[in-house]
Amino acid sequence: MLRGLPMLSERSWPLRVFLTYVGLGIAWIVLSDRVLLGLGLSPQQITQLQGLKGTAFVLLSGLLVFELTRRFQAAQERGRRELVRSEQMYRTLARDLPKGAVFLFDHDLRFLLAEGQGLAEAGLRREDLEGRTLSEAVPASAPYLEPLYRAALAGETRTDVREYRGAHYKVVVQPVRDAGGKVWAGLAVGYDVSEMVEAQQALRQRAELEGNFRRLFEENPLPMWVYDRESHRFLEVNRAAVQTYGYSREEFLGMTLLDIRPPEEVGRLQANLAQPRQEHESSGPWRHRLKDGREIWVEIASHVHTYAGRPAVLVTAKDVTRQVESQRALQASERRFRALVENAPDAISLLDPQGNIVFDTPASTRILGYSQEERLGQNAFELVHPEDLAATREVFGRVLERPGGLGSALMRFRHKDGSWRWLEAIASNLLLEPSVGGVVVNFRDVTERKQAEEAVLALNARLEQRVGELEALQKIDQAILNREGMADIAALILRETLEHLEVEAAALYRFDAAAEELEYVGGQGFRGSGLARKRVRLGQGLLGGVARRLEPLEVPDIWAAGADSPRVETFREEGLVGYAAVPVLAGGRLQGVLEAFRRAPLHLGAGDRAFLKALANQAGVALAHAELLAGLERANAELHSAYDHTIEALAAAIDLRDHETENHSRRVTELTLELARRMGMGPEELRQVRRGALLHDVGKLAVPDAVLLKPGKLTEEEWAEMKKHPVLAYEWLSQIPFLAPALEIPYAHHERWDGTGYPRGLGGEEIPLAARVFAVVDVYDALTSDRPYRAAWSQEKTLRYLQEQAGTHFDPAVVEAFLGMIDRERERAG
Ligand code: C2E
Ligand code: SIN
Ligand code: SIN
Ligand code: FE
Ligand code: FE
């Protein structure tokens, strides 16, 4: 029952009764007497009526009170019935409300009604609420509920969700109005919406997740797509895919996986797609084709899932073009490198620190005859020649001393066929180099070179001799030029013969054409004067035979040969055994005979023979000169050509020794002459230039092999040795007066325009022009040729270098003329 329900209509009833009654009373008092007076009645009649009037008032007011009371009761009854109906309604409603409760409260915030299954769950009891105010019944919730309740009482409807004791409640408050529209109470309904809230939260989270996934997919920097597992059609693609492949999203969705491959990859892809699928798979690298036709390499991560109810695959593609290409480049370079190593003419072995061979190139089989398998078992020192072993080990030991250590050695090594081969080896310590991890030995067979060197060595000895001989010839030349007497010249020739040849006596005879006899001119080394007294007829004996045949003759032992000579007595007296003779010719005519004797058997070398001939030539010139002063000019020319032939032979010997510079002297001489001519030199100067150029490196004859033929950079001491060669040339040649004018080139060809050259450090025009001209040609030829210490440069590179060096190393004017000359030559060559 709703108790103490304060009804607004009920409260106004007493006032209504009071006002009606007072209104009626006053109206009665004012109006009733006026009505009576107005009727014009007599006072007696009025007095009579006065009593009646009182009775009528009582009756009338009684009737009024009755009516009012009856209405009040009816209204109250109607209200009560209405209330009962609404209470029942609320309670029924509340009971039907699962997990909820309904509250009705009045303007004092006093609960009029509290009902519902939710009360117990919220820890409340109906009895504790009904009749109590909000703050009495639920003080803890009052601060939250009060504003809501008041809003309802003020006519508003409010809804809120409130967390209370671990659950979510939806609270709805609204006004309750009476028939007149006045708010007489507030209604609050609360029910548990926890499940709904949770469901909503789950929904929200799911949406969030989906959004995250979409973003992940869409914003992923890697191209991604989803394709249909049956049709292989693209179902989704992300932005990166669109950007990378160049197709728009719409174009993509109209294509299948096959459309982004080069045709030759399609088969491989189809095979892959036909395979049973793991849930997650990686594959690749695949080649994909972009819209613009370019191709890239990608690695694929795929993930089987369902898309719009269909089996699909989610794919992430990673562009690995750079890696794939760099790997391919690496493989190509490795192949190239391998081909290089395997085809190199020099062999390369990799040794461990004990000298065991751990790797070997095919060239070593070619050089040493052992198969690869045999080599790999070998120790490098096992087959080194015993005489070279200590030195080889020492070099190897030094190489081992520090990482990067280098060393070179020349040693004999036993070929499989048992022969000894000379090997030139360069070892470098790459033990710490992770990709090598050993000592790399580069070696080549230099047996032939070694043999050639030995030959050159022998030649060198002879060369020294020939230089001396040259001097001799020059002295005679000088004597002739000085117009000394024939006797003096003959004495000189004979002295030089004895000095430079292994002979003990020599004689010069003059041919007397008129008498057809040979006349003694002079002799040296004889004990007596037996020969001087005898003239010998043409054709008679050894001497006459030489004069007739015009051929040199050598008889190692005249007694063994059964000498038949008019002078045989004298020979016996003198104790002569070995004999050599050369006809003395001038202009093709017989002038006389030069004879040499030895008191032991005689064996001339080729050089001796040549020298004897040269002396005979000199003698011829001298004799002709003496005889025919008018013929001097021609004789002189012959003399020079004899010199020049000798010089050429010498130059060839220099080149032979410095074997890498074969023909270097001849080539530089020709180029230098041409350049010098272009620079305006006359015939006499050119003659000296020619000799100087031919002999420019004559000083290198004195440089030891180890330095001259060294395959690598020179040490400081070696360099000092090398730098001596212009000075040595100077010392040598300056003693030969006819070569002195040709000295400029040998002496100054390593001077530099900027003064930094050697040996004198001359600068600019202090350097003789011939040497400045020659220096350009020499360096040009040196750089374009292989040297033991480096490979030849190209012509382009060399010319560029010369140009760079103009003004520092070289006279710029000479470089300019030289470049012009080379240009012209190249034009001519086409
Ligand atoms: P060469 O080999 O006949 O060289 C003559 C000149 O050409 C050298 O004079 C130098 O000016 C120039 N030339 C030759 N090769 C090169 C090069 O690779 N680079 C440059 N920039 N210039 C080069 P240089 O330098 O006074 O040498 C005189 C001689 O010393 C050379 O005659 C050669 O026999 C010898 N020599 C020079 N450097 C080395 C070396 O590193 N090792 C060995 N074993 N000998 C050397
Ligand atoms: C693709 O290359 O596009 C996907 C292939 C795969 O799923 O393995
Ligand atoms: C070799 O046979 O590999 C050369 C020997 C060496 O120099 O150690
Ligand atoms: Fe030189
Ligand atoms: Fe040279």
Side-chain angles (χ1 to χ4, degrees):
M1 250 332 257
L2 289 171
R3 272 164 299 170
L5 187 69
M7 295 188 69
L8 193 72
S9 52
E10 194 182 359
R11 207 187 296 163
S12 65
W13 269 112
L15 188 63
R16 269 203 228 175
V17 172
F18 168 73
L19 290 176
T20 311
Y21 187 76
V22 169
L24 183 72
I26 288 169
W28 190 268
I29 288 164
V30 173
L31 292 177
S32 61
D33 283 347
R34 290 240 181 121
V35 171
L36 285 181
L37 283 176
L39 286 174
L41 293 173
S42 65
Q44 201 181 356
Q45 279 174 309
I46 288 172
T47 309
Q48 275 181 321
L49 279 178
Q50 222 48 311
L52 205 63
K53 197 182 78 176
T55 306
F57 178 77
V58 170
L59 275 176
L60 206 62
S61 59
L63 204 64
L64 192 70
V65 170
F66 171 76
E67 182 54 25
L68 280 173
T69 308
R70 199 186 56 82
R71 278 197 192 189
F72 172 68
Q73 275 179 337
Q76 217 170 23
E77 188 54 29
R78 211 172 44 245
R80 213 169 293 277
R81 273 204 307 278
E82 210 170 278
L83 270 176
V84 170
R85 226 185 20 254
S86 20
E87 185 184 359
Q88 275 166 354
M89 187 186 79
Y90 285 131
R91 290 205 193 276
T92 311
L93 192 90
R95 267 181 232 112
D96 290 347
L97 196 67
K99 301 178 154 206
V102 173
F103 306 89
L104 207 58
F105 48 87
D106 66 12
H107 284 272
D108 300 328
L109 305 185
R110 187 180 299 278
F111 287 107
L112 302 174
L113 179 149
E115 186 68 79
Q117 299 172 21
L119 283 181
E121 273 166 41
L124 299 171
R125 284 193 312 168
R126 183 180 152 191
E127 304 79 64
D128 297 336
L129 291 166
E130 286 180 0
R132 293 235 173 89
T133 63
L134 183 63
S135 47
E136 287 164 1
V138 280
S141 298
Y144 165 72
L145 289 171
E146 194 177 325
L148 287 173
Y149 280 20
R150 290 210 186 280
L153 293 170
E156 291 171 34
T157 297
R158 292 252 181 114
T159 310
D160 194 24
V161 174
R162 173 187 188 214
E163 228 186 308
Y164 182 65
R165 294 169 53 135
H168 283 90
Y169 289 93
K170 181 157 186 166
V171 178
V172 181
V173 296
Q174 63 187 75
V176 180
R177 296 173 194 275
D178 64 12
K182 288 205 158 174
V183 176
W184 65 266
L187 174 69
V189 181
Y191 51 97
D192 186 340
V193 291
S194 300
E195 278 171 16
M196 213 169 77
V197 167
E198 275 157 25
Q200 257 169 9
Q201 256 165 13
L203 218 62
R204 216 171 21 245
Q205 271 167 9
R206 196 182 143 78
E208 221 167 82
L209 268 175
E210 264 177 15
N212 283 343
F213 168 74
R214 238 244 150 256
R215 263 204 306 284
L216 256 180
F217 177 81
E218 188 56 28
E219 306 297 332
N220 201 306
L222 297 180
M224 295 182 79
W225 54 79
V226 177
Y227 69 86
D228 187 296
R229 274 189 74 181
E230 275 146 34
S231 66
H232 303 140
R233 208 163 265 294
F234 289 101
L235 301 174
E236 276 289 355
V237 291
N238 73 353
R239 187 176 10 233
V242 167
Q243 279 167 359
T244 304
Y245 285 77
Y247 294 106
S248 69
R249 191 174 303 269
E250 293 64 38
E251 284 171 322
F252 253 120
L253 300 187
M255 302 195 308
T256 73
L257 291 182
L258 305 186
D259 298 326
I260 54 166
R261 325 262 147 179
E264 62 275 19
E265 283 267 306
V266 167
R268 197 160 74 93
L269 173 67
Q270 280 172 333
N272 179 269
L273 291 172
Q275 302 264 324
R277 278 225 159 238
Q278 306 287 316
E279 200 177 319
H280 300 278
E281 257 179 34
S282 312
S283 65
W286 299 92
R287 216 136 48 86
H288 281 185
R289 174 169 285 178
L290 310 183
K291 187 178 182 183
D292 63 14
R294 271 185 305 129
E295 288 178 8
I296 57 172
W297 287 94
V298 295
E299 256 163 20
I300 293 291
S302 61
H303 178 86
V304 173
H305 80 155
T306 313
Y307 182 87
R310 296 180 59 79
V313 180
L314 172 67
V315 170
T316 307
K318 180 160 185 249
D319 185 340
V320 293
T321 311
R322 279 252 294 282
Q323 291 93 306
V324 169
E325 278 171 3
S326 69
Q327 196 175 350
R328 279 176 191 228
L330 207 66
Q331 281 164 355
S333 98
E334 143 122 30
R335 268 200 305 281
R336 223 171 14 241
F337 177 70
R338 180 162 288 281
L340 249 169
V341 163
E342 288 185 350
N343 296 311
D346 285 6
I348 300 169
S349 300
L350 189 64
L351 309 186
D352 70 11
Q354 286 70 48
N356 296 312
I357 293 164
V358 294
F359 171 84
D360 209 23
T361 58
S364 72
T365 303
R366 193 167 37 67
I367 295 175
L368 297 171
Y370 303 98
S371 70
Q372 292 280 99
E373 293 68 36
E374 288 169 314
R375 282 285 287 165
L376 292 187
Q378 270 172 7
N379 182 287
F381 297 106
E382 273 167 24
L383 299 171
V384 172
H385 193 286
E387 283 173 23
D388 300 335
L389 188 57
T392 306
R393 279 198 186 280
E394 200 219 298
V395 169
F396 194 71
R398 264 189 284 125
V399 168
L400 284 181
E401 272 168 18
R402 56 180 185 79
L406 280 175
S408 60
L410 199 62
M411 84 231 56
R412 279 159 290 179
F413 203 90
R414 197 202 303 281
H415 190 279
K416 194 169 183 192
D417 67 13
S419 67
W420 290 107
R421 309 298 300 172
W422 278 102
L423 299 188
E424 180 180 76
I426 299 180
S428 70
N429 177 344
L430 297 180
L431 283 162
L432 292 186
E433 183 68 38
S435 54
V436 181
V439 176
V440 175
V441 179
N442 206 303
F443 63 92
R444 62 167 78 165
D445 185 341
V446 294
T447 310
E448 275 165 29
R449 191 181 90 193
K450 196 72 186 157
Q451 282 161 356
E453 275 169 24
E454 273 154 17
V456 167
L457 233 55
L459 189 67
N460 268 352
R462 285 209 302 281
L463 270 170
E464 300 258 359
Q465 190 185 349
R466 298 201 78 194
V467 171
E469 293 167 4
L470 216 55
E471 290 176 53
L473 296 175
Q474 193 277 331
K475 275 190 223 160
I476 300 161
D477 180 37
Q478 203 60 39
I480 295 168
L481 288 179
N482 291 347
R483 308 181 178 212
E484 282 169 21
M486 187 59 217
D488 293 340
I489 294 172
L492 189 58
I493 290 174
L494 295 169
R495 204 163 57 237
E496 297 300 341
T497 307
L498 295 196
E499 190 174 317
H500 291 284
L501 298 180
E502 298 245 322
V503 296
E504 288 160 279
L508 181 65
Y509 284 81
R510 192 183 69 85
F511 179 59
D512 178 347
E516 295 210 319
E517 279 177 352
L518 292 148
E519 178 193 13
Y520 182 84
V521 178
Q524 277 192 18
F526 299 105
R527 292 167 190 152
S529 55
L531 293 189
R533 280 174 265 123
K534 278 246 166 3
R535 286 172 74 103
V536 177
R537 279 204 318 280
L538 189 67
Q540 192 182 21
L542 294 170
L543 179 62
V546 169
R548 162 155 291 166
R549 286 191 303 276
L550 300 182
E551 292 283 348
L553 176 69
E554 273 173 53
V555 184
D557 182 338
I558 41 180
W559 309 110
D564 144 46
S565 162
R567 300 173 297 170
V568 76
E569 277 314 306
T570 317
F571 288 172
R572 198 184 309 279
E573 282 162 23
E574 292 282 341
L576 303 174
V577 179
Y579 175 83
V582 189
V584 172
L585 303 170
R589 283 194 311 120
L590 181 70
Q591 300 291 332
V593 174
L594 176 62
E595 286 186 309
F597 301 89
R598 192 158 184 254
R599 293 188 171 88
L602 178 67
H603 296 283
L604 287 180
D608 299 336
R609 209 169 286 139
F611 182 58
L612 196 59
K613 244 168 118 176
L615 286 171
N617 277 345
Q618 301 290 80
V621 172
L623 290 171
H625 181 252
E627 235 177 13
L628 208 71
L629 275 167
L632 184 65
E633 286 301 332
R634 200 187 50 192
N636 222 4
E638 272 181 16
L639 191 64
H640 276 293
S641 109
Y643 295 154
D644 288 343
H645 282 121
T646 313
I647 291 167
E648 263 173 38
L650 195 57
I654 298 163
D655 285 354
L656 189 55
R657 167 121 187 285
D658 198 351
H659 64 102
E660 301 276 4
T661 66
E662 208 182 343
N663 280 330
H664 168 67
S665 297
R666 220 200 51 230
R667 276 197 313 271
V668 292
T669 301
E670 273 158 25
L671 276 177
T672 306
L673 282 173
E674 198 182 328
L675 182 56
R677 215 172 284 128
R678 286 168 76 92
M679 298 208 60
M681 290 197 191
E684 183 51 38
E685 279 169 302
L686 288 175
R687 184 209 302 274
Q688 303 305 338
V689 164
R690 180 181 145 76
R691 291 176 178 174
L694 277 169
L695 293 176
H696 75 277
D697 269 342
V698 73
K700 279 190 184 171
L701 288 172
V703 174
D705 277 4
V707 177
L708 188 67
L709 303 177
K710 178 171 178 179
K713 274 246 156 295
L714 301 179
T715 64
E716 219 165 289
E717 299 91 285
E718 288 166 340
W719 187 237
E721 199 64 38
M722 179 62 82
K723 274 176 143 181
K724 282 187 199 156
H725 78 277
V727 182
L728 288 169
Y730 174 78
E731 283 168 359
W732 246 341
L733 301 180
S734 61
Q735 291 170 35
I736 309 172
F738 92 91
L739 287 178
L743 254 174
E744 289 179 345
I745 289 175
Y747 194 24
H749 72 289
H750 287 300
E751 300 290 352
R752 289 168 171 247
W753 184 252
D754 63 6
T756 61
Y758 61 91
R760 286 174 290 171
L762 301 180
E765 295 187 349
E766 282 177 331
I767 307 166
L769 177 62
R772 280 182 267 145
V773 170
F774 176 80
V776 172
V777 175
D778 186 38
V779 171
Y780 170 80
D781 191 80
L783 289 175
T784 51
S785 308
D786 285 328
R787 284 286 187 270
Y789 56 92
R790 61 138 178 77
W793 290 10
S794 70
Q795 195 186 41
E796 266 64 34
K797 181 173 171 184
T798 307
L799 294 178
R800 239 186 351 262
Y801 175 78
L802 295 181
Q803 218 155 7
E804 276 164 26
Q805 294 291 319
T808 49
H809 188 161
F810 306 117
D811 178 349
V814 175
V815 172
E816 200 187 341
F818 182 74
L819 295 176
M821 181 175 97
I822 294 288
D823 267 356
R824 265 250 325 259
E825 240 174 43
R826 281 209 282 198
E827 264 163 41
R828 240 184 306 149

